[in-house]
């Protein structure tokens, strides 16, 4: 497996050149587009790695899974999905249009920015400080690493270039879809997006979801079975933004991407995978990362769809 | 299994009352909303059935799978998906808006009406007569029943109430997304939608897709492996119209619905399922059929997501 | 005045080169983009002309005024504006989007294509033949020329390239905004658009509207005062498609354009103007015609806004 | 005239009951929906008044004319209309949709909120304090009252309920349509909207515009002729939000409304009119105010369209 991963990274590295690093957040624009890495965690409780598997990057949209899991566990599915839909959309992740057009003004799903903001606003914490502390604690559990921290330069960079998300948040509050202090909420959102990980942590998270919520090493239950399933189903239909359908065709595994270049994938019952490659396609998904997942899925006969 | 299916139908029949039969096609409006049936085909090559499993109904949108399979087999994936996208959408199945708004004017996926019309137009037949003959022949193969026929009263009824689809087709031709005689194309479309089946045929189709394109009885290859996978992936992300995400959460199996009340589901490697219940929810999906699939998935541990 | 008009045409002819003739209707694409003409009818009952004032062209959207006047006179304002709005829109003249998006599915105003189709469908005639006969008779009255005829080659050309209007009409019927035989309706629509005129007839029409509905020569009342005012108000706010605001700023006179290159303008109480120049801007308005009107308005102190 | 105005107010007061006061800004919600007043300024330099003509209210959207006039005078038409369009729209005044949908991301016109925010951002002042001082100074000139002041309770109320405008502003900055400090800009915007006037000041403003920019009493030129005409043309096509077309039909005079209940109207060369009635229709226009203007236009033969 180790060897396979190294070979896959070598083969796919060239594909990265068709993409570009995220340009709208200056800190992300500094990334090296040739980087590519992968980690795999199997039921034998062994991590296999290839390429830049240990290079740190920020979770970005992948962090939406953490706060969504936290919200469902704390508040229950019904409460959460009364405020946010469950269905995929063809609109880009930061779109505001459908919110104005369709009533009720409910974000289409929790994995687009509007949905993630509503999810964060539902978390029952008294201020941003306790809220991000709770998110970090949950991130530590679900990523198998208690030392998860916010990457300050990225957080600062996001905060400085956040007009679109700020617009989304104020819109949501203007239509009653979101309550509370917007700046405080955005602060949590940018910190959450800026949590630093490597592919290893993503592989751990993928394996927790693959095992219906069980810690792959300790056997402890970290999430209710139903929560893990909701997350996998949303990943399968909405996990790669408006490119989710094509990913399902090419790879066929539930996954969630972030514009930091990471993708987490969960092969139910079998495997957790984390990939990293900061060169993105036009929809915000890692070009090299998707290529690695496609080949890994094909050779390992991993597809579930 | 037989017993389980009967019990499921009995339990779910009451849920049908929250839905209503399709009202925009007079022939469909005649259906009895209390009907509910299910057929299952397993790897043991045995059909199990419950409720109104043998009651005939029209395929409607499920037929989009037949012509899509035919188009991919005849023309190749690249040719097909150059003209039609692969990604889900939050718009209703008959929406025209995004086609005007987004360039290129390409239908979002082959399972919304606009996409299905483009797919049909790509089929390399010289007129409507040979085109529908080819679709019927493929339907016979993929449904395991060479006697598949068009239900004339439904076909006539669809044709008489087809303004929205006619509008879609002329729009697509006006932007160059579709070529050829529109009335001839719509004629094939309405005939295809009006193909009459029972849950048994849907279970057969589901099993063909579950087996990566193999005939479950003869072992003959009916579809390329890749074609079966493309269909399953599209079913998982776009199969229940703009309700595909919620279905993935609740049921977790690739499936395709039709406003005739049918749903076909494919559990990879394990099972084909056909359900029928003409009472629909607001998005056009069978209320009772989804309930049966949800319980069957849970009790049989069938979910793949 | 005669001399002024000749000078204006000479000065403005060069501006035509920034536009292009309508390309989507082959017959219109044959026009010479350098042509430019103008006719003016004043309260002294004298026609003044300059340039290609007597060159025949088809009315296109200007004909919407004829059938709208007929509908209001026959059915009353209330009946008409229950089915079609009165307000301008930023959408292009053939847009279908807002019809799907906004409820009730009522065209925004009678001067976009969707609105004009609904207006025609309201006319109480038993078939297309009597309907177009009535429109032609009204055109004769309002244009001061009983010999108004359909330009057959343009009519045939429009009919052959009419997918977008056909799509609009079927959409309108699918949402209940329009009743009756669509092909029959479109036939009237294309014939109406293809009525052949010169700038002289447009100047006459402009003067009828300028005089609140009075025939400038005979003094006979051709339209109710209120009908003439409704038309002028709609021309002022919606007469140049999605370029109506800029025209109001530059010219400040109620007017209506057509993609055949004509524009009719009505200076209340004072003057009727017809211009013709087939080179169009991106919104479908005559580049040279607008230039002539702008200069004429400035030098003659004609603006009312 | 005095008598006519009193009679008109008495006749129209009952129509107010079909409207409701603006509810989204608490301070505006306190207004008495039965109030109705009118002031008229004629070429004889005499003010005529009826009803609650001297009751103070806030300008709201009418203030957009002040800052637009200032921007055109300071920067020139070309500079202003490079950044904001001139054409009417069917979208509500606070809509964000078209900005996302259409490129370039330019507000449709300066009289919708998005356009007004861009206009304010163009004003070449170093901070909010000098910017609002300049706006107030211009308001004093154009309203004929150097004591124009911000109504503090309304300003505070607007600021507290401003999520939608904040969303618009951040969106505009995210797409590069607006530069500078958003909170500072919004502060000017809310102060501008909260300038307190009576119908007398609106009648004065209307007369300045009617006289092509001349102070009706001193004869001093306050605006360039062309600026006054641009404002009148925009009022005629976009002045009553998405109800501008119907107002043109019913009244036929350039006018601008505000959700405070005021409307200013300019009858070119003849008259300035200010009306006030806080009961609004669904589009945000004063019900009683429009009724007064409709009757006044009809009886005084004032319409220019």
């Amino acid at each position: 497996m180790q060897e396979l991963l190294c070979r896959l990274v070598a083969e796919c590295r060239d594909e990265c050149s068709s993409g570009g690093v995220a340009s709208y957040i200056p800190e992300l624009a500094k990334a090296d587009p040739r980087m590519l890495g992968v980690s795999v965690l199997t039921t034998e409780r062994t991590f296999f790695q290839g390429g830049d598997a240990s290079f740190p990057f920020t979770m970005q949209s992948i962090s939406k899974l953490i706060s969504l899991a936290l919200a469902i566990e704390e508040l229950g599915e019904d409460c959460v999905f009364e405020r946010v839909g469950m269905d995929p959309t063809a609109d880009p992740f930061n779109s505001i249009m459908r919110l104005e057009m369709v009533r009720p003004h409910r974000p289409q799903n929790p994995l687009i920015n509007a949905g993630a903001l509503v999810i964060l606003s539902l978390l029952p914490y008294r201020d941003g400080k306790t809220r991000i502390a709770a998110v970090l604690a949950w991130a530590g559990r679900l990523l198998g690493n208690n030392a998860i921290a916010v990457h300050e330069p990225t957080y600062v960079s996001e905060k400085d270039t956040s007009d679109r998300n700020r617009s989304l948040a104020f819109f949501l509050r203007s239509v009653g879809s979101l309550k509370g202090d917007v700046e405080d909420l955005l602060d949590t959102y940018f910190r959450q997006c800026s949590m630093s990980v490597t592919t290893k942590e993503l592989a751990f998270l993928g394996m927790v979801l693959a095992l219906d919520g069980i810690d792959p090493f300790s056997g402890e239950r970290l999430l209710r079975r139903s929560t893990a399933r909701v997350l996998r189903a949303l990943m399968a239909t909405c996990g790669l933004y408006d490119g989710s359908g094509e990913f399902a065709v090419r790879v066929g595994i539930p996954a969630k991407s972030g514009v930091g270049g990471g993708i987490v994938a969960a092969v139910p019952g079998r495997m957790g995978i984390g990939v990293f490659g900061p060169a993105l396609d036009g929809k915000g998904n890692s070009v090299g990362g998707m290529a690695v997942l496609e080949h890994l899925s094909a050779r390992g006969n991993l597809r579930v769809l």
Side-chain angles (χ1 to χ4, degrees), chain A residues 84-105:
Chain A
V84 182
M86 283 186 173
D87 289 304
T89 175
D91 302 317
F93 60 84
N94 61 2
S95 182
I96 208 165
M97 232 174 72
R98 182 170 297 272
L99 288 173
E100 180 175 335
M101 207 163 66
V102 177
R103 270 143 223 275
H105 303 290

Side-chain angles (χ1 to χ4, degrees), chain A residues 176-235:
Chain A
S177 298
L178 181 151
K179 286 185 171 28
D181 186 306
V182 164
E183 287 302 330
D184 192 66
L185 181 71
L186 287 168
D187 192 75
T188 310
Y189 182 74
F190 298 134
R191 285 183 193 275
Q192 161 180 296
C193 285
S194 303
M195 291 189 295
S196 184
V197 293
T198 71
T199 59
K200 188 178 175 184
E201 278 86 20
L202 295 188
F204 185 92
L205 170 61
M207 196 57 176
V208 172
L209 297 175
L211 297 177
D212 278 353
I214 299 294
D215 181 315
F217 293 99
S218 73
E220 186 193 352
R221 176 160 291 285
L222 302 177
L223 295 173
R224 281 196 288 268
R225 177 185 295 260
S226 60
T227 304
R229 289 175 172 180
V230 168
L231 264 62
R232 290 203 314 255
L234 288 168
M235 290 160 76

Side-chain angles (χ1 to χ4, degrees), chain A residues 84-156:
Chain A
V84 182
M86 283 186 173
D87 289 304
T89 175
D91 302 317
F93 60 84
N94 61 2
S95 182
I96 208 165
M97 232 174 72
R98 182 170 297 272
L99 288 173
E100 180 175 335
M101 207 163 66
V102 177
R103 270 143 223 275
H105 303 290
R106 206 177 60 156
Q108 191 69 12
N109 67 61
L111 301 184
I112 54 172
N113 293 15
L117 288 166
V118 171
I119 294 296
L120 272 183
S121 80
L122 293 176
L123 294 180
Y125 300 104
R126 68 173 184 282
D127 58 25
K129 206 171 160 187
T130 55
R131 202 194 291 118
I132 188 64
V135 171
L136 280 165
W138 267 76
R141 282 163 62 92
L142 295 180
L143 295 165
N145 176 349
N146 287 318
I148 295 296
V150 170
H151 185 244
E152 284 293 322
T154 303
Y155 159 69
V156 170

